[in-house]
Amino acid sequence: MNKLARVTLLGPQRFEPNVADVFKQASFCGRTAVITAGWQEREEEINELAEHLNLDVTNLNLYRRAERVFNAEPDFHHAYSERQNMLLRLQRIYRMRLEKLLDVARRFLKRSEDPDLMDLERESAIADVRRLDEHHLSRIREIHASFNQVWKRDKLPGLQAETEAVARDLHDCDALCIAGGHVAILLNRMRMFNIAQAADGLPIVAWSAGAMAISERIVLFHDSPPQGAGNAELLESGLGLHRGLIALPHADQRLRLDDPIRVSLFARRFHTSLCVALDAGAVVHWDGTNWHTALAARALTQDGQTQPLELACP
Amino acid sequence: MSLTIRALEQSKPQSEGIDSWIGNQEFPLVEDRYVTFVYRGEADQVLLQHFIYGLPTSQDFKRIEGTDLWYLTIEVPPHSRFEYKFDVVKNDQHSWIRDPLNPRMARDPFGSNSVCHTAGYEPPFWVQSDENAREGSIHKLYIDHPNGSRNHKVLIYIPARYRKSRRYPLLVVHDGQDYLKYASLKTVLDNLIHRLEIPPMIAALTQSEDRIHEYAANETHAQFVVESLLPLLESRLPLQRGPETRCLMGASFGAVASLHTAWKYPGIFGKLLLQSGSFAFTDIGWHQRSPAFDPVVHFVNEFRKHPGRPSEKIFVSCGTYESLIYENRSMVPLLQETGINVKYREFRDGHNWENWRDRLREGLSWLFPGPLWMVYE
């Protein structure tokens, strides 16, 4: 590919960075914006990334800008915090219901007797999980809609000014890189400054939490946490800048890919999307319609295995 | 089941045969639920001195007739870990030595012991140094101490990627420097932070020169922690504020000091991590332990009458091979009745540093859940 794809998703960049290769292979020599808001207070420490890219770079500083907005608009800040608290509470309630449904689905998938009866029961148990996921997303959408109804950007001069500044910065760039980090903070800052609209038409290269935040659905996952059962859960809808793929960075460390029950349940639960392990070295491209794999990306399959993404792409 | 040592004994081995047999085994021999200890050498008697509460403390080895090979087989459940020594008796002289055939050993402030792992026990992976984990650093801080020392040293663990612009939770560790040496505390903190299982935090590692006195429910110590150490830390370091961001931890008498401090100053430390606490008490009569326990028993008796609400979230752990298991178990319902969120865990282990090390992940990640679910770097 000698041109940047509309969206390129990569694996983690700490040990085997390959984001520069993506730009080189596309013969890209323009200016790229970077979003590192997921790094929070380390947002401005982009020297290593900039050196690796060896391109002209503009840091959009969304985390710092958000802090300025919160200072300038205290009522907005208060309401924003309240909304986040409400979302946290809702997430806890969702998690309680999810635990029961996933436990049943997992037990049904393990059960080998009564295959004639169990096939339908399994499918029904997984459908229950999907219904809960959809319900959860719709509740979150309602909360955001109510918030946005009250807190309109054009009535908040501090937010409006920063959003316009971000749009101007992006206008001067030819691509956008979105790094990983804290996925909720990253998503919220990108929403706050309307990145989905401002970056329209720009090629995007994203990795780790960045790849998750711009997807349609953000799934939080860890099969072996130190506490709890390790139930993957939906966080929210993402920015939806790519379609049909659930990004699973660090899958080799976070998922028990050798456990066919867990892999199968994951793939069947999110069956309308490709569930893609994005480990170090992975590169996948989205052309606006289809996914194309370049390197090392694997998809989770409904029979509990993983396979190269190109075999899973429709 | 047929044990390896029995087969050897029945073969009436000669010296060379014993050499060869020893060279082909790992000691102690762990076969299903049976552990066989082997000692080779001239002696009048060999005894096993172990630290498993509930078994006879001193058990005789048997000598294989006509040889200098001694052995003892005992039954120990799987997933156990315990420490031991051999008591070799010659001419009425007792020598306590580590098992010469077992390379595994554990150190503590009093020396070192041999370690036995029964079937299924594995040292946790997160206590080993991980080359991918960014390393925190250890710094020194000096403070006036009520014992008269004007330069009492407190070690401060600063997490990797520390930024002054960020605020951190605080962990205050009794016997902190022993935790560093004998329980790999720095490695554990580095690994758990790297794995996002706990948030980056600052730890103050205190050490007492007279812990039996200072940690035994001593009001001066509690006052030192709350009124001297904590304000100093808060003035020097970017710490989060509020009890929910602070944890006191310790093992044995260090656990007593942690609970006592939180009890005397409720609402300061919202979290406690209590390992193998020496929570001796009496329902009737007086205790049978050493006089060092007198103030502890007095405190725990008072605490059991009036627990109050020293903290909001408490992790308690104890080894089932400890003499303190009853006291720790009985603490749990008492704490729960007060409405405190309590998690209690026990394992087949003894009163030792590796037990306390092995529980750190579960305790710390429960008290301070990390950003594991939210951060994908």
Side-chain angles (χ1 to χ4, degrees), chain A residues 35-40 62-63 178-192 195 206-214 239, chain B residues 374 376:
Chain A
I35 294 175
T36 52
W39 299 357
Q40 303 171 73
L62 302 189
Y63 187 80
I178 307 174
H182 194 293
V183 66
I185 287 174
L186 176 60
L187 173 70
N188 288 337
R189 300 306 181 268
M190 291 202 290
R191 273 210 189 113
M192 184 183 284
I195 293 298
W207 58 93
S208 296
M212 298 165 78
I214 62 170
L239 297 189
Chain B
M374 284 295 182
Y376 303 77

PDB file of all heavy atoms in Angstrom, chain A residues 35-40 62-63 178-192 195 206-214 239, chain B residues 374 376:
ATOM      1  N   ILE A  35      -2.575  12.313  19.204  1.00  0.00           N
ATOM      2  CA  ILE A  35      -3.406  12.389  20.410  1.00  0.00           C
ATOM      3  C   ILE A  35      -2.844  11.395  21.407  1.00  0.00           C
ATOM      4  O   ILE A  35      -2.801  10.188  21.137  1.00  0.00           O
ATOM      5  CB  ILE A  35      -4.881  12.064  20.092  1.00  0.00           C
ATOM      6  CG1 ILE A  35      -5.476  13.147  19.192  1.00  0.00           C
ATOM      7  CG2 ILE A  35      -5.689  11.940  21.388  1.00  0.00           C
ATOM      8  CD1 ILE A  35      -6.894  12.868  18.729  1.00  0.00           C
ATOM      9  N   THR A  36      -2.401  11.925  22.528  1.00  0.00           N
ATOM     10  CA  THR A  36      -1.848  11.068  23.589  1.00  0.00           C
ATOM     11  C   THR A  36      -2.588  11.329  24.907  1.00  0.00           C
ATOM     12  O   THR A  36      -2.014  11.165  25.981  1.00  0.00           O
ATOM     13  CB  THR A  36      -0.328  11.324  23.768  1.00  0.00           C
ATOM     14  OG1 THR A  36      -0.124  12.726  23.940  1.00  0.00           O
ATOM     15  CG2 THR A  36       0.468  10.844  22.590  1.00  0.00           C
ATOM     16  N   ALA A  37      -3.840  11.726  24.793  1.00  0.00           N
ATOM     17  CA  ALA A  37      -4.610  12.052  26.004  1.00  0.00           C
ATOM     18  C   ALA A  37      -4.736  10.850  26.932  1.00  0.00           C
ATOM     19  O   ALA A  37      -4.892  11.009  28.144  1.00  0.00           O
ATOM     20  CB  ALA A  37      -5.993  12.562  25.622  1.00  0.00           C
ATOM     21  N   GLY A  38      -4.651   9.643  26.372  1.00  0.00           N
ATOM     22  CA  GLY A  38      -4.721   8.437  27.205  1.00  0.00           C
ATOM     23  C   GLY A  38      -3.537   8.319  28.150  1.00  0.00           C
ATOM     24  O   GLY A  38      -3.580   7.545  29.107  1.00  0.00           O
ATOM     25  N   TRP A  39      -2.478   9.087  27.885  1.00  0.00           N
ATOM     26  CA  TRP A  39      -1.314   9.071  28.781  1.00  0.00           C
ATOM     27  C   TRP A  39      -1.506  10.004  29.975  1.00  0.00           C
ATOM     28  O   TRP A  39      -0.629  10.114  30.822  1.00  0.00           O
ATOM     29  CB  TRP A  39      -0.044   9.492  28.029  1.00  0.00           C
ATOM     30  CG  TRP A  39       0.333   8.616  26.885  1.00  0.00           C
ATOM     31  CD1 TRP A  39      -0.270   7.472  26.474  1.00  0.00           C
ATOM     32  CD2 TRP A  39       1.421   8.845  25.977  1.00  0.00           C
ATOM     33  NE1 TRP A  39       0.371   6.954  25.365  1.00  0.00           N
ATOM     34  CE2 TRP A  39       1.411   7.785  25.046  1.00  0.00           C
ATOM     35  CE3 TRP A  39       2.401   9.829  25.849  1.00  0.00           C
ATOM     36  CZ2 TRP A  39       2.353   7.691  24.004  1.00  0.00           C
ATOM     37  CZ3 TRP A  39       3.330   9.745  24.830  1.00  0.00           C
ATOM     38  CH2 TRP A  39       3.298   8.679  23.910  1.00  0.00           C
ATOM     39  N   GLN A  40      -2.611  10.734  29.969  1.00  0.00           N
ATOM     40  CA  GLN A  40      -2.973  11.658  31.051  1.00  0.00           C
ATOM     41  C   GLN A  40      -1.862  12.680  31.311  1.00  0.00           C
ATOM     42  O   GLN A  40      -1.485  13.395  30.396  1.00  0.00           O
ATOM     43  CB  GLN A  40      -3.367  10.867  32.298  1.00  0.00           C
ATOM     44  CG  GLN A  40      -4.509   9.898  32.024  1.00  0.00           C
ATOM     45  CD  GLN A  40      -4.770   8.958  33.178  1.00  0.00           C
ATOM     46  OE1 GLN A  40      -5.306   9.353  34.198  1.00  0.00           O
ATOM     47  NE2 GLN A  40      -4.402   7.696  33.016  1.00  0.00           N
ATOM     48  N   LEU A  62      -5.075  17.138  24.076  1.00  0.00           N
ATOM     49  CA  LEU A  62      -6.485  17.134  24.467  1.00  0.00           C
ATOM     50  C   LEU A  62      -6.663  17.049  25.985  1.00  0.00           C
ATOM     51  O   LEU A  62      -7.625  17.603  26.538  1.00  0.00           O
ATOM     52  CB  LEU A  62      -7.230  15.968  23.799  1.00  0.00           C
ATOM     53  CG  LEU A  62      -7.203  15.906  22.271  1.00  0.00           C
ATOM     54  CD1 LEU A  62      -8.164  14.820  21.784  1.00  0.00           C
ATOM     55  CD2 LEU A  62      -7.584  17.243  21.653  1.00  0.00           C
ATOM     56  N   TYR A  63      -5.767  16.333  26.638  1.00  0.00           N
ATOM     57  CA  TYR A  63      -5.896  16.189  28.093  1.00  0.00           C
ATOM     58  C   TYR A  63      -5.717  17.550  28.776  1.00  0.00           C
ATOM     59  O   TYR A  63      -6.506  17.959  29.613  1.00  0.00           O
ATOM     60  CB  TYR A  63      -4.860  15.183  28.604  1.00  0.00           C
ATOM     61  CG  TYR A  63      -5.008  14.838  30.065  1.00  0.00           C
ATOM     62  CD1 TYR A  63      -5.969  13.918  30.483  1.00  0.00           C
ATOM     63  CD2 TYR A  63      -4.195  15.424  31.030  1.00  0.00           C
ATOM     64  CE1 TYR A  63      -6.112  13.596  31.822  1.00  0.00           C
ATOM     65  CE2 TYR A  63      -4.329  15.112  32.375  1.00  0.00           C
ATOM     66  CZ  TYR A  63      -5.282  14.195  32.763  1.00  0.00           C
ATOM     67  OH  TYR A  63      -5.419  13.882  34.103  1.00  0.00           O
ATOM     68  N   ILE A 178      -3.262   8.164  16.959  1.00  0.00           N
ATOM     69  CA  ILE A 178      -3.918   8.107  18.269  1.00  0.00           C
ATOM     70  C   ILE A 178      -3.268   6.984  19.078  1.00  0.00           C
ATOM     71  O   ILE A 178      -3.363   5.801  18.715  1.00  0.00           O
ATOM     72  CB  ILE A 178      -5.432   7.849  18.132  1.00  0.00           C
ATOM     73  CG1 ILE A 178      -6.056   8.880  17.181  1.00  0.00           C
ATOM     74  CG2 ILE A 178      -6.102   7.906  19.500  1.00  0.00           C
ATOM     75  CD1 ILE A 178      -7.523   8.618  16.854  1.00  0.00           C
ATOM     76  N   ALA A 179      -2.597   7.378  20.153  1.00  0.00           N
ATOM     77  CA  ALA A 179      -1.862   6.406  20.974  1.00  0.00           C
ATOM     78  C   ALA A 179      -2.787   5.765  21.997  1.00  0.00           C
ATOM     79  O   ALA A 179      -3.945   6.154  22.150  1.00  0.00           O
ATOM     80  CB  ALA A 179      -0.698   7.113  21.668  1.00  0.00           C
ATOM     81  N   GLY A 180      -2.253   4.798  22.725  1.00  0.00           N
ATOM     82  CA  GLY A 180      -3.037   4.083  23.728  1.00  0.00           C
ATOM     83  C   GLY A 180      -3.063   4.800  25.054  1.00  0.00           C
ATOM     84  O   GLY A 180      -2.840   6.010  25.136  1.00  0.00           O
ATOM     85  N   GLY A 181      -3.334   4.038  26.107  1.00  0.00           N
ATOM     86  CA  GLY A 181      -3.416   4.606  27.453  1.00  0.00           C
ATOM     87  C   GLY A 181      -4.765   4.305  28.060  1.00  0.00           C
ATOM     88  O   GLY A 181      -5.327   3.223  27.853  1.00  0.00           O
ATOM     89  N   HIS A 182      -5.289   5.260  28.816  1.00  0.00           N
ATOM     90  CA  HIS A 182      -6.577   5.081  29.503  1.00  0.00           C
ATOM     91  C   HIS A 182      -7.701   5.294  28.502  1.00  0.00           C
ATOM     92  O   HIS A 182      -7.918   6.398  28.012  1.00  0.00           O
ATOM     93  CB  HIS A 182      -6.664   6.088  30.641  1.00  0.00           C
ATOM     94  CG  HIS A 182      -7.762   5.810  31.612  1.00  0.00           C
ATOM     95  ND1 HIS A 182      -9.100   5.894  31.279  1.00  0.00           N
ATOM     96  CD2 HIS A 182      -7.731   5.421  32.916  1.00  0.00           C
ATOM     97  CE1 HIS A 182      -9.824   5.598  32.323  1.00  0.00           C
ATOM     98  NE2 HIS A 182      -9.021   5.296  33.339  1.00  0.00           N
ATOM     99  N   VAL A 183      -8.422   4.223  28.215  1.00  0.00           N
ATOM    100  CA  VAL A 183      -9.347   4.272  27.076  1.00  0.00           C
ATOM    101  C   VAL A 183     -10.534   5.200  27.341  1.00  0.00           C
ATOM    102  O   VAL A 183     -10.998   5.895  26.416  1.00  0.00           O
ATOM    103  CB  VAL A 183      -9.800   2.855  26.667  1.00  0.00           C
ATOM    104  CG1 VAL A 183     -10.642   2.192  27.736  1.00  0.00           C
ATOM    105  CG2 VAL A 183     -10.543   2.871  25.344  1.00  0.00           C
ATOM    106  N   ALA A 184     -11.022   5.250  28.570  1.00  0.00           N
ATOM    107  CA  ALA A 184     -12.183   6.109  28.841  1.00  0.00           C
ATOM    108  C   ALA A 184     -11.785   7.579  28.773  1.00  0.00           C
ATOM    109  O   ALA A 184     -12.521   8.405  28.212  1.00  0.00           O
ATOM    110  CB  ALA A 184     -12.768   5.772  30.211  1.00  0.00           C
ATOM    111  N   ILE A 185     -10.651   7.899  29.342  1.00  0.00           N
ATOM    112  CA  ILE A 185     -10.187   9.292  29.291  1.00  0.00           C
ATOM    113  C   ILE A 185      -9.935   9.707  27.843  1.00  0.00           C
ATOM    114  O   ILE A 185     -10.323  10.789  27.403  1.00  0.00           O
ATOM    115  CB  ILE A 185      -8.930   9.461  30.179  1.00  0.00           C
ATOM    116  CG1 ILE A 185      -9.362   9.399  31.641  1.00  0.00           C
ATOM    117  CG2 ILE A 185      -8.196  10.759  29.870  1.00  0.00           C
ATOM    118  CD1 ILE A 185      -8.230   9.396  32.633  1.00  0.00           C
ATOM    119  N   LEU A 186      -9.311   8.828  27.112  1.00  0.00           N
ATOM    120  CA  LEU A 186      -9.030   9.123  25.700  1.00  0.00           C
ATOM    121  C   LEU A 186     -10.330   9.354  24.924  1.00  0.00           C
ATOM    122  O   LEU A 186     -10.475  10.343  24.188  1.00  0.00           O
ATOM    123  CB  LEU A 186      -8.245   7.948  25.114  1.00  0.00           C
ATOM    124  CG  LEU A 186      -7.918   7.989  23.632  1.00  0.00           C
ATOM    125  CD1 LEU A 186      -7.062   9.211  23.294  1.00  0.00           C
ATOM    126  CD2 LEU A 186      -7.180   6.710  23.218  1.00  0.00           C
ATOM    127  N   LEU A 187     -11.269   8.452  25.105  1.00  0.00           N
ATOM    128  CA  LEU A 187     -12.558   8.573  24.399  1.00  0.00           C
ATOM    129  C   LEU A 187     -13.259   9.878  24.780  1.00  0.00           C
ATOM    130  O   LEU A 187     -13.735  10.623  23.909  1.00  0.00           O
ATOM    131  CB  LEU A 187     -13.438   7.377  24.758  1.00  0.00           C
ATOM    132  CG  LEU A 187     -14.875   7.436  24.242  1.00  0.00           C
ATOM    133  CD1 LEU A 187     -14.894   7.267  22.724  1.00  0.00           C
ATOM    134  CD2 LEU A 187     -15.738   6.372  24.900  1.00  0.00           C
ATOM    135  N   ASN A 188     -13.306  10.140  26.074  1.00  0.00           N
ATOM    136  CA  ASN A 188     -14.030  11.339  26.523  1.00  0.00           C
ATOM    137  C   ASN A 188     -13.393  12.625  26.010  1.00  0.00           C
ATOM    138  O   ASN A 188     -14.093  13.570  25.644  1.00  0.00           O
ATOM    139  CB  ASN A 188     -14.100  11.362  28.054  1.00  0.00           C
ATOM    140  CG  ASN A 188     -15.058  10.310  28.576  1.00  0.00           C
ATOM    141  OD1 ASN A 188     -15.950   9.875  27.852  1.00  0.00           O
ATOM    142  ND2 ASN A 188     -14.861   9.870  29.807  1.00  0.00           N
ATOM    143  N   ARG A 189     -12.074  12.654  25.973  1.00  0.00           N
ATOM    144  CA  ARG A 189     -11.405  13.877  25.479  1.00  0.00           C
ATOM    145  C   ARG A 189     -11.621  14.026  23.972  1.00  0.00           C
ATOM    146  O   ARG A 189     -11.793  15.134  23.464  1.00  0.00           O
ATOM    147  CB  ARG A 189      -9.902  13.845  25.794  1.00  0.00           C
ATOM    148  CG  ARG A 189      -9.544  13.758  27.262  1.00  0.00           C
ATOM    149  CD  ARG A 189     -10.215  14.858  28.090  1.00  0.00           C
ATOM    150  NE  ARG A 189      -9.852  14.777  29.496  1.00  0.00           N
ATOM    151  CZ  ARG A 189     -10.533  14.109  30.434  1.00  0.00           C
ATOM    152  NH1 ARG A 189     -11.630  13.440  30.118  1.00  0.00           N
ATOM    153  NH2 ARG A 189     -10.128  14.109  31.692  1.00  0.00           N
ATOM    154  N   MET A 190     -11.604  12.908  23.270  1.00  0.00           N
ATOM    155  CA  MET A 190     -11.840  13.012  21.819  1.00  0.00           C
ATOM    156  C   MET A 190     -13.281  13.435  21.539  1.00  0.00           C
ATOM    157  O   MET A 190     -13.536  14.223  20.630  1.00  0.00           O
ATOM    158  CB  MET A 190     -11.514  11.688  21.130  1.00  0.00           C
ATOM    159  CG  MET A 190     -10.009  11.394  21.143  1.00  0.00           C
ATOM    160  SD  MET A 190      -9.477  10.236  19.874  1.00  0.00           S
ATOM    161  CE  MET A 190     -10.195   8.728  20.451  1.00  0.00           C
ATOM    162  N   ARG A 191     -14.196  12.946  22.358  1.00  0.00           N
ATOM    163  CA  ARG A 191     -15.594  13.391  22.203  1.00  0.00           C
ATOM    164  C   ARG A 191     -15.728  14.873  22.542  1.00  0.00           C
ATOM    165  O   ARG A 191     -16.403  15.620  21.844  1.00  0.00           O
ATOM    166  CB  ARG A 191     -16.479  12.602  23.161  1.00  0.00           C
ATOM    167  CG  ARG A 191     -16.968  11.310  22.608  1.00  0.00           C
ATOM    168  CD  ARG A 191     -18.333  11.001  23.228  1.00  0.00           C
ATOM    169  NE  ARG A 191     -18.712   9.667  22.854  1.00  0.00           N
ATOM    170  CZ  ARG A 191     -18.820   8.664  23.721  1.00  0.00           C
ATOM    171  NH1 ARG A 191     -18.606   8.845  25.004  1.00  0.00           N
ATOM    172  NH2 ARG A 191     -19.166   7.475  23.292  1.00  0.00           N
ATOM    173  N   MET A 192     -15.084  15.256  23.628  1.00  0.00           N
ATOM    174  CA  MET A 192     -15.219  16.642  24.089  1.00  0.00           C
ATOM    175  C   MET A 192     -14.807  17.628  22.992  1.00  0.00           C
ATOM    176  O   MET A 192     -15.440  18.667  22.818  1.00  0.00           O
ATOM    177  CB  MET A 192     -14.354  16.845  25.343  1.00  0.00           C
ATOM    178  CG  MET A 192     -14.479  18.217  25.973  1.00  0.00           C
ATOM    179  SD  MET A 192     -13.371  18.425  27.379  1.00  0.00           S
ATOM    180  CE  MET A 192     -14.201  17.496  28.615  1.00  0.00           C
ATOM    181  N   ILE A 195     -13.479  15.218  17.853  1.00  0.00           N
ATOM    182  CA  ILE A 195     -12.441  14.722  16.958  1.00  0.00           C
ATOM    183  C   ILE A 195     -13.031  13.966  15.769  1.00  0.00           C
ATOM    184  O   ILE A 195     -12.511  14.045  14.644  1.00  0.00           O
ATOM    185  CB  ILE A 195     -11.459  13.811  17.742  1.00  0.00           C
ATOM    186  CG1 ILE A 195     -10.677  14.645  18.758  1.00  0.00           C
ATOM    187  CG2 ILE A 195     -10.505  13.071  16.807  1.00  0.00           C
ATOM    188  CD1 ILE A 195      -9.803  15.725  18.176  1.00  0.00           C
ATOM    189  N   ALA A 206      -3.900   4.240  14.592  1.00  0.00           N
ATOM    190  CA  ALA A 206      -4.204   4.160  16.035  1.00  0.00           C
ATOM    191  C   ALA A 206      -3.739   2.828  16.597  1.00  0.00           C
ATOM    192  O   ALA A 206      -3.714   1.822  15.888  1.00  0.00           O
ATOM    193  CB  ALA A 206      -5.709   4.322  16.250  1.00  0.00           C
ATOM    194  N   TRP A 207      -3.375   2.848  17.847  1.00  0.00           N
ATOM    195  CA  TRP A 207      -2.939   1.597  18.470  1.00  0.00           C
ATOM    196  C   TRP A 207      -3.441   1.510  19.919  1.00  0.00           C
ATOM    197  O   TRP A 207      -3.776   2.517  20.534  1.00  0.00           O
ATOM    198  CB  TRP A 207      -1.424   1.429  18.415  1.00  0.00           C
ATOM    199  CG  TRP A 207      -0.618   2.516  19.053  1.00  0.00           C
ATOM    200  CD1 TRP A 207      -0.156   2.550  20.325  1.00  0.00           C
ATOM    201  CD2 TRP A 207      -0.156   3.716  18.412  1.00  0.00           C
ATOM    202  NE1 TRP A 207       0.560   3.701  20.531  1.00  0.00           N
ATOM    203  CE2 TRP A 207       0.585   4.426  19.382  1.00  0.00           C
ATOM    204  CE3 TRP A 207      -0.290   4.258  17.130  1.00  0.00           C
ATOM    205  CZ2 TRP A 207       1.185   5.651  19.107  1.00  0.00           C
ATOM    206  CZ3 TRP A 207       0.305   5.480  16.859  1.00  0.00           C
ATOM    207  CH2 TRP A 207       1.036   6.156  17.836  1.00  0.00           C
ATOM    208  N   SER A 208      -3.500   0.300  20.387  1.00  0.00           N
ATOM    209  CA  SER A 208      -3.929  -0.015  21.759  1.00  0.00           C
ATOM    210  C   SER A 208      -5.247   0.695  22.074  1.00  0.00           C
ATOM    211  O   SER A 208      -6.201   0.570  21.325  1.00  0.00           O
ATOM    212  CB  SER A 208      -2.805   0.312  22.749  1.00  0.00           C
ATOM    213  OG  SER A 208      -1.702  -0.533  22.484  1.00  0.00           O
ATOM    214  N   ALA A 209      -5.279   1.485  23.179  1.00  0.00           N
ATOM    215  CA  ALA A 209      -6.557   2.132  23.526  1.00  0.00           C
ATOM    216  C   ALA A 209      -7.044   3.041  22.396  1.00  0.00           C
ATOM    217  O   ALA A 209      -8.250   3.250  22.240  1.00  0.00           O
ATOM    218  CB  ALA A 209      -6.398   2.933  24.812  1.00  0.00           C
ATOM    219  N   GLY A 210      -6.112   3.573  21.612  1.00  0.00           N
ATOM    220  CA  GLY A 210      -6.508   4.413  20.475  1.00  0.00           C
ATOM    221  C   GLY A 210      -7.347   3.630  19.481  1.00  0.00           C
ATOM    222  O   GLY A 210      -8.366   4.122  18.958  1.00  0.00           O
ATOM    223  N   ALA A 211      -6.935   2.389  19.211  1.00  0.00           N
ATOM    224  CA  ALA A 211      -7.685   1.541  18.279  1.00  0.00           C
ATOM    225  C   ALA A 211      -9.059   1.212  18.843  1.00  0.00           C
ATOM    226  O   ALA A 211     -10.049   1.126  18.106  1.00  0.00           O
ATOM    227  CB  ALA A 211      -6.894   0.254  18.009  1.00  0.00           C
ATOM    228  N   MET A 212      -9.124   1.042  20.167  1.00  0.00           N
ATOM    229  CA  MET A 212     -10.412   0.713  20.802  1.00  0.00           C
ATOM    230  C   MET A 212     -11.355   1.916  20.769  1.00  0.00           C
ATOM    231  O   MET A 212     -12.549   1.777  20.478  1.00  0.00           O
ATOM    232  CB  MET A 212     -10.173   0.297  22.263  1.00  0.00           C
ATOM    233  CG  MET A 212      -9.311  -0.943  22.424  1.00  0.00           C
ATOM    234  SD  MET A 212      -8.720  -1.142  24.118  1.00  0.00           S
ATOM    235  CE  MET A 212     -10.167  -1.783  24.927  1.00  0.00           C
ATOM    236  N   ALA A 213     -10.816   3.093  21.089  1.00  0.00           N
ATOM    237  CA  ALA A 213     -11.664   4.277  21.262  1.00  0.00           C
ATOM    238  C   ALA A 213     -12.335   4.718  19.963  1.00  0.00           C
ATOM    239  O   ALA A 213     -13.391   5.339  19.995  1.00  0.00           O
ATOM    240  CB  ALA A 213     -10.849   5.422  21.853  1.00  0.00           C
ATOM    241  N   ILE A 214     -11.738   4.412  18.834  1.00  0.00           N
ATOM    242  CA  ILE A 214     -12.346   4.861  17.569  1.00  0.00           C
ATOM    243  C   ILE A 214     -13.210   3.770  16.938  1.00  0.00           C
ATOM    244  O   ILE A 214     -13.687   3.918  15.820  1.00  0.00           O
ATOM    245  CB  ILE A 214     -11.280   5.351  16.559  1.00  0.00           C
ATOM    246  CG1 ILE A 214     -10.322   4.220  16.179  1.00  0.00           C
ATOM    247  CG2 ILE A 214     -10.532   6.554  17.109  1.00  0.00           C
ATOM    248  CD1 ILE A 214      -9.406   4.580  15.008  1.00  0.00           C
ATOM    249  N   LEU A 239     -16.026   6.047  18.930  1.00  0.00           N
ATOM    250  CA  LEU A 239     -16.285   7.104  17.942  1.00  0.00           C
ATOM    251  C   LEU A 239     -16.799   6.539  16.621  1.00  0.00           C
ATOM    252  O   LEU A 239     -17.293   7.289  15.776  1.00  0.00           O
ATOM    253  CB  LEU A 239     -15.010   7.910  17.684  1.00  0.00           C
ATOM    254  CG  LEU A 239     -14.428   8.693  18.862  1.00  0.00           C
ATOM    255  CD1 LEU A 239     -13.303   9.613  18.375  1.00  0.00           C
ATOM    256  CD2 LEU A 239     -15.493   9.513  19.579  1.00  0.00           C
TER     257      LEU A 239
ATOM    258  N   MET B 374      -8.960  -0.486  32.265  1.00  0.00           N
ATOM    259  CA  MET B 374      -9.114   0.758  31.504  1.00  0.00           C
ATOM    260  C   MET B 374      -7.883   1.144  30.687  1.00  0.00           C
ATOM    261  O   MET B 374      -7.997   1.925  29.755  1.00  0.00           O
ATOM    262  CB  MET B 374      -9.411   1.913  32.473  1.00  0.00           C
ATOM    263  CG  MET B 374     -10.821   1.912  32.989  1.00  0.00           C
ATOM    264  SD  MET B 374     -11.994   2.219  31.646  1.00  0.00           S
ATOM    265  CE  MET B 374     -13.522   2.217  32.535  1.00  0.00           C
ATOM    266  N   TYR B 376      -4.777   0.454  28.210  1.00  0.00           N
ATOM    267  CA  TYR B 376      -4.230  -0.405  27.139  1.00  0.00           C
ATOM    268  C   TYR B 376      -3.154   0.425  26.467  1.00  0.00           C
ATOM    269  O   TYR B 376      -3.455   1.295  25.661  1.00  0.00           O
ATOM    270  CB  TYR B 376      -5.339  -0.802  26.153  1.00  0.00           C
ATOM    271  CG  TYR B 376      -6.507  -1.502  26.814  1.00  0.00           C
ATOM    272  CD1 TYR B 376      -7.460  -0.774  27.541  1.00  0.00           C
ATOM    273  CD2 TYR B 376      -6.651  -2.883  26.748  1.00  0.00           C
ATOM    274  CE1 TYR B 376      -8.521  -1.407  28.178  1.00  0.00           C
ATOM    275  CE2 TYR B 376      -7.716  -3.527  27.380  1.00  0.00           C
ATOM    276  CZ  TYR B 376      -8.644  -2.777  28.088  1.00  0.00           C
ATOM    277  OH  TYR B 376      -9.697  -3.412  28.712  1.00  0.00           O
TER     278      TYR B 376
END
